[in-house]
Amino acid sequence: MNGDTFREWMEGILPLLKPNSVIVMDNASYHSVIIDKAPSSHTLKADIIKWLEDKGEVINHSMVITHLLLRVKRLKPLHKKLNPIELAWSSVKNHVRMNNTTYKLPDVKKLLIEGIKRVDAEMWQNFISHTNKLEKQFYEVDNIIDEVLSAEKSDNLLMTLTGDTSSETDSDSD
């Protein structure tokens, strides 16, 4: 597969899709032939703003580059936990695994098609919500790690313990 072949196939498929269909692609190189390159941290702020506004985004021009780039949506490369299509494929493969009794190719193909049809809009939205929550958790962990490392460098490490911190061996009578 290459970019030209994929584009030709995609142009043939697009007219056949129902209104409001969603197309999800992974990061295969032929899915990402760059025609309109997305901005990166090396892109000038004015160019990032223009790129986003060309896509219909309403931008506050006082935003810094890192905040502008949060508006640029791309799947995380090589990070399967943050890619909702991996959850969809897992669901499809699980459907095949749980229902395959003959192990014959025509039956597996039928189960594969059934499994794909099971991934409806609601299920897809749940996959997206799950990966967004997971991404937020990763950011929170990153922030905690940054705080701990910064505190270690400054020797001002402060830990706040919440909840019951006693154990059964702790005693006030000692």
Side-chain angles (χ1 to χ4, degrees):
M1 181 69 73
N2 63 40
D4 292 334
T5 304
F6 177 73
R7 182 181 176 127
E8 184 178 311
W9 174 81
M10 181 61 86
E11 287 173 348
I13 284 292
L14 289 176
L16 305 176
L17 296 176
K18 294 177 184 175
N20 297 318
S21 293
V22 175
I23 299 171
V24 180
M25 295 180 280
D26 60 16
N27 287 310
S29 60
Y30 51 85
H31 291 162
S32 299
V33 176
I34 300 174
I35 295 171
D36 182 16
K37 187 176 180 184
S40 71
S41 59
H42 303 295
T43 307
L44 295 174
K45 180 178 177 179
D47 293 338
I48 297 171
I49 290 171
K50 181 179 179 340
W51 188 89
L52 287 166
E53 288 178 339
D54 288 349
K55 307 293 178 271
E57 291 286 324
V58 177
I59 301 300
N60 176 345
H61 289 249
S62 66
M63 292 172 74
V64 295
I65 288 176
T66 53
H67 291 135
L68 288 168
L69 289 174
L70 292 175
R71 306 290 288 275
V72 177
K73 305 290 187 218
R74 292 252 330 146
L75 292 177
K76 308 327 181 247
L78 304 176
H79 205 312
K80 291 182 179 186
K81 288 189 177 195
L82 297 179
N83 190 335
I85 199 169
E86 297 296 338
L87 294 171
W89 275 121
S90 178
S91 174
V92 171
K93 291 187 292 185
N94 188 52
H95 176 77
V96 173
R97 181 174 34 257
M98 299 302 289
N99 295 289
N100 187 8
T101 57
T102 66
Y103 300 96
K104 294 181 180 174
L105 194 53
D107 295 335
V108 172
K109 181 180 178 182
K110 179 182 173 205
L111 290 170
L112 181 63
I113 292 168
E114 288 173 7
I116 291 170
K117 287 180 180 178
R118 288 181 63 240
V119 180
D120 60 9
E122 182 181 353
M123 186 182 285
W124 180 250
Q125 189 58 50
N126 289 337
F127 294 154
I128 291 171
S129 295
H130 175 78
T131 55
N132 285 341
K133 286 177 190 173
L134 195 56
E135 183 176 31
K136 184 179 178 188
Q137 289 173 350
F138 284 172
Y139 277 125
E140 289 170 1
V141 169
D142 282 348
N143 289 334
I144 291 168
I145 291 169
D146 287 347
E147 288 173 16
V148 169
L149 292 176
S150 294
E152 284 180 351
K153 289 179 184 175
S154 66
D155 293 323
N156 286 332
L157 183 58
L158 173 65
M159 294 183 77
T160 303
L161 301 175
T162 59
D164 182 8
T165 59
S166 63
S167 69
E168 290 182 24
T169 60
D170 289 344
S171 172
D172 292 334
S173 62
D174 287 342

